[in-house]
Amino acid sequence: MDKSSWWHRLCTFLSLGLLFLLLLAAHYWAGDYYLRLLNTTAVFITMAVSYNLINGICGQLHLGPNAFVTLGAYTAALLTLTPAEKQASFLIAPLVWPLSDLALPFPLALLAGGLVAVLFAYLTGFPVLRVRGDYLAIVTLGFGEVIRVLANNLQTVTNGPMGLKGLTPYTNLWWSWGVAVLTVATVMGLKKSGFGRAMQAIRADETAARAMGIEPFRHLLLAFLVSAFFLGVAGGLLAHLITTISPTLFTFFLTFNLLIIIVLGGLGSTTGAILATIIITWGNEWLRVVEEPLDFGTFRLPGIPGLRTVIFSLLLLVLIIFYRRGLLGRWEFSWDWLFRKIQGRPDGG
Amino acid sequence: MQPPLLSIKAVQMTFGGLMALNNFSLEVAAGELHGLIGPNGAGKTTVFNILTGFYRPTEGELSFAGTALNGLSPPAISRLGIARTFQNIRLFEELSVLENVLVPFQGRSRLSFWQAILRTPGFWREERWVRDRAWELLTRLDLAHHAMEPAGSLPYGQQRRLEIARALAAAPRLLLLDEPAAGLNPQETAALMALLQDLRRHYGLTILLIEHNMKFVMHICERLTVLDHGLIIAQGAPAEVRRDPRVIRAYLGADAGA
């Protein structure tokens, strides 16, 4: 066992090295368009994988990840803007005091974004985790809306509907992919520990789990906090990627997109969440073709705006009909599996 | 005389107007194999649900190894050393057989989140120890060759055994078995009897079991408690209980005892 785990570690380091080289190549040769796409992919991987910790691994239908992303985005943005920039942005009402004078380097601002999201998760965790099922979904949906409404109306903190503009685009490949790798490592590591087994046991049968000595509240709260931290950091990355944030960016549609990603990948599968994020973000770009005029030589098709959404809806319908458990179900990639495939040995054992 | 490991005193349990248990008292000595029998709806599983903290008794006192159980949550009771199986099998079906047995160890784990995430030496030490114990249990219960299969895909008899393995992983002193022989064929039932005797010797277990299979109960239990409509109608050695006219009447109907 020790020898094979040594091999696994080596393989993990090698593939991380490969990712590093690919990013290095992209850093030097990729154009702005692809850089943006790669950054978006990484931020969405972070969000989907950490969201999947609650919905997939713990099996609790949580509908408020947009709240954590919003908190992280606003916190990080307010901390990286210089006092002068903030004064220029807040036209209707000035920004409240400590925030108006505070300016932090980007990494600390990201961390602060994550921690604010964790604090919010901790405070809401007590009421939220007392309920289950549909009730949990409704309560979390409610908290998501509360945060959006606050962002829209707390003029002296968030600048209201005008949002925050002119953020420095600090988010680059190293930050976005660095955080994505850290998120995947944390969630995978958690899943393959006693904590993760307890979370999956709660998903499978909470009554039996309690009878076996598992405290559901303790484990669900832990998942809630870890997920909130990475969602918050992802919010900070997103803010400094698109450089302008406003409350409209963090509506229920963000939650909905994340939900589609994790259902597409297979609830509970981190590998699936990564794969689905890539399919959705890149697919969305490649399908742009259908919205532009197409010239087939003998006849021309005019571009139909919005056709991408129609195609995506159809693909999702097909998926729900033929792959009820998502693309990968609860399957998880492992080096063991890969070695078995290469050597042509059967699964299991 | 040694104080009993488990003592239930004058427990009453009502659901709305329904009296599920009335003045129920039971003492189980350490190392004893005690059977709880009675017709359907007599309140047997209610006793288990009270003992494991899923129901709060309306009245009465429960104590286990000198600790009062009243008001404790199911996980807390599990950590004190009471484990159970369920009448309708409740395995973690999508998890593998091995993972099912690994789960209860987390209930007693003192590892922190950071130790688990940072994969400290302490984490690996515990992980190895836990896995060794789990394999030991799977081997003893003859499930080791199915370790990587999802628990839900096992045949019925093996699922029942896995429930026992999972309960043992919680390191109980008292094991509560809810109809362990239900749905088993005669060979499997005989094997289960041998298994229970073996587990009891090896882990120094005290066992309280609910069962409808009379041959099984009479053969394996040292003492029996017979419940009918929430009331204890007989308590004692199997041979005495079998001759008790009230037991015969409860099982066979009012006329049979005459």
Side-chain angles (χ1 to χ4, degrees):
Chain A
M1 177 186 165
D2 281 327
K3 200 179 167 191
S4 72
S5 73
W6 185 84
W7 260 108
H8 294 173
R9 252 178 250 177
L10 184 70
C11 287
T12 308
F13 277 119
L14 286 179
S15 46
L16 281 177
L18 187 68
L19 177 68
F20 178 78
L21 290 179
L22 285 174
L23 291 177
L24 202 63
H27 180 73
Y28 284 113
W29 292 303
D32 280 346
Y33 173 75
Y34 280 102
L35 282 179
R36 175 73 175 259
L37 196 53
L38 280 170
N39 278 317
T40 311
T41 309
V43 173
F44 269 83
I45 285 176
T46 303
M47 291 197 281
V49 167
S50 49
Y51 183 41
N52 198 27
L53 176 60
I54 300 179
N55 276 37
I57 296 174
C58 295
Q60 309 298 325
L61 182 55
H62 184 280
L63 292 180
N66 57 334
F68 304 127
V69 179
T70 315
L71 286 167
Y74 272 96
T75 308
L78 284 169
L79 289 174
T80 57
L81 284 171
T82 62
E85 286 168 334
K86 284 185 244 197
Q87 212 172 9
S89 277
F90 284 69
L91 296 171
I92 295 176
L95 180 59
V96 289
W97 168 65
L99 285 170
S100 59
D101 286 345
L102 213 57
L104 289 179
F106 182 55
L108 288 180
L110 279 186
L111 189 66
L115 291 178
V116 167
V118 167
L119 182 68
F120 179 72
Y122 183 76
L123 295 177
T124 57
F126 287 87
V128 164
L129 297 176
R130 290 175 70 94
V131 291
R132 293 287 184 273
D134 301 349
Y135 300 99
L136 191 143
I138 290 167
V139 175
T140 51
L141 182 69
F143 278 122
E145 277 302 287
V146 166
I147 290 296
R148 192 188 59 82
V149 169
L150 283 179
N152 217 4
N153 291 294
L154 275 181
Q155 197 76 46
T156 54
V157 181
T158 64
N159 205 22
M162 295 202 296
L164 303 171
K165 293 186 184 66
L167 303 175
T168 314
Y170 287 116
T171 302
N172 57 24
L173 288 177
W174 310 115
W175 282 114
S176 63
W177 284 94
V179 169
V181 167
L182 188 66
T183 308
V184 171
T186 307
V187 171
M188 287 273 219
L190 197 58
K191 191 179 174 187
K192 281 195 258 172
S193 74
F195 291 98
R197 288 191 291 265
M199 288 168 190
Q200 293 174 79
I202 293 166
R203 176 188 70 200
D205 189 330
E206 190 170 338
T207 301
R210 291 173 74 209
M212 296 303 133
I214 302 298
E215 301 273 6
F217 181 77
R218 181 170 167 248
H219 287 92
L220 293 181
L221 187 66
L222 177 67
F224 212 51
L225 298 182
V226 172
S227 166
F229 179 77
F230 287 112
L231 285 165
V233 173
L237 288 171
L238 197 63
H240 293 88
L241 178 65
I242 43 190
T243 69
T244 301
I245 55 172
S246 68
T248 52
L249 202 62
F250 306 108
T251 59
F252 181 67
F253 278 100
L254 177 62
T255 298
F256 189 62
N257 279 330
L258 292 177
L259 196 59
I260 288 178
I261 289 175
I262 61 174
V263 170
L264 175 71
L267 281 172
S269 167
T270 303
T271 319
I274 297 169
L275 182 71
T277 306
I278 294 171
I279 291 175
I280 296 268
T281 46
W282 290 72
N284 218 359
E285 291 304 313
W286 285 330
L287 283 176
R288 266 181 207 287
V289 175
V290 301
E291 294 190 1
E292 286 153 12
L294 287 176
D295 197 343
F296 288 102
T298 48
F299 63 101
R300 278 174 65 89
L301 278 181
I304 307 166
L307 193 61
R308 278 190 299 171
T309 319
V310 176
I311 292 177
F312 256 108
S313 315
L314 288 175
L315 282 177
L316 279 175
L317 278 177
V318 170
L319 182 94
I320 295 302
I321 293 168
F322 293 105
Y323 293 88
R324 295 231 170 129
R325 289 159 52 85
L327 289 174
L328 298 184
R330 290 204 167 120
W331 182 83
E332 207 70 88
F333 173 84
S334 67
W335 294 116
D336 263 337
W337 171 84
L338 189 69
F339 295 157
R340 273 201 304 273
K341 282 284 152 198
I342 292 169
Q343 295 171 3
R345 275 187 284 146
D347 282 355
Chain B
M1 212 182 109
Q2 242 190 337
L5 181 67
L6 174 73
S7 128
I8 306 176
K9 281 201 191 97
V11 159
Q12 198 172 71
M13 182 82 218
T14 53
F15 297 105
L18 181 83
M19 178 85 74
L21 279 179
N22 191 2
N23 197 22
F24 181 87
S25 297
L26 174 66
E27 289 194 343
V28 181
E32 190 180 333
L33 209 167
H34 195 107
L36 189 57
I37 62 172
N40 284 325
K44 303 181 299 291
T45 299
T46 305
V47 173
F48 275 21
N49 282 334
I50 288 173
L51 272 177
T52 49
F54 285 100
Y55 294 163
R56 298 266 149 100
T58 322
E59 268 174 50
E61 276 163 37
L62 310 155
S63 84
F64 174 72
T67 313
L69 297 180
N70 296 61
L72 292 184
S73 70
I77 289 174
S78 160
R79 285 195 296 273
L80 278 179
I82 302 182
R84 69 178 289 181
T85 64
F86 292 90
Q87 190 179 347
N88 329 306
I89 300 174
R90 300 188 79 139
L91 291 170
F92 308 125
E93 292 190 9
E94 316 126 20
L95 301 192
S96 72
V97 168
L98 176 64
E99 284 170 323
N100 265 270
V101 179
L102 288 173
V103 165
F105 289 96
Q106 172 67 9
R108 286 171 287 135
S109 168
R110 290 187 174 187
L111 221 58
S112 73
F113 162 72
W114 296 109
Q115 283 175 295
I117 287 303
L118 299 174
R119 295 291 196 255
T120 60
F123 168 84
W124 288 116
R125 212 176 309 128
E126 177 169 314
E127 192 73 9
R128 249 195 310 274
W129 183 82
V130 160
R131 278 177 188 270
D132 286 350
R133 294 291 84 71
W135 276 107
E136 214 174 280
L137 280 169
L138 289 181
T139 310
R140 188 164 283 278
L141 279 105
D142 197 20
L143 290 163
H145 45 289
H146 298 295
M148 297 304 166
E149 292 167 28
S153 72
L154 291 183
Y156 186 83
Q158 293 182 354
Q159 291 199 9
R160 283 237 170 260
R161 274 219 304 282
L162 179 55
E163 270 229 326
I164 297 175
R166 185 180 65 174
L168 289 174
R173 293 170 67 190
L174 173 66
L175 180 63
L176 308 176
L177 300 173
D178 202 341
E179 301 198 17
L184 300 188
N185 64 35
Q187 287 91 331
E188 287 174 323
T189 308
L192 178 67
M193 279 195 244
L195 176 72
L196 289 183
Q197 297 290 13
D198 169 61
L199 293 176
R200 197 179 153 203
R201 253 195 318 275
H202 191 264
Y203 295 104
L205 287 174
T206 306
I207 299 177
L208 176 61
L209 63 84
I210 294 175
E211 189 46 69
H212 280 297
N213 182 333
M214 281 307 131
K215 228 167 122 185
F216 179 88
V217 169
M218 294 294 166
H219 192 264
I220 198 173
C221 294
E222 285 147 3
R223 278 204 319 142
L224 291 178
T225 297
V226 191
L227 264 180
D228 189 24
H229 296 296
L231 273 169
I232 293 179
I233 55 170
Q235 209 158 29
E240 300 163 27
V241 166
R242 185 159 35 185
R243 285 193 299 271
D244 195 305
R246 280 186 302 175
V247 175
I248 297 167
R249 211 175 303 137
Y251 267 92
L252 300 176
D255 301 329

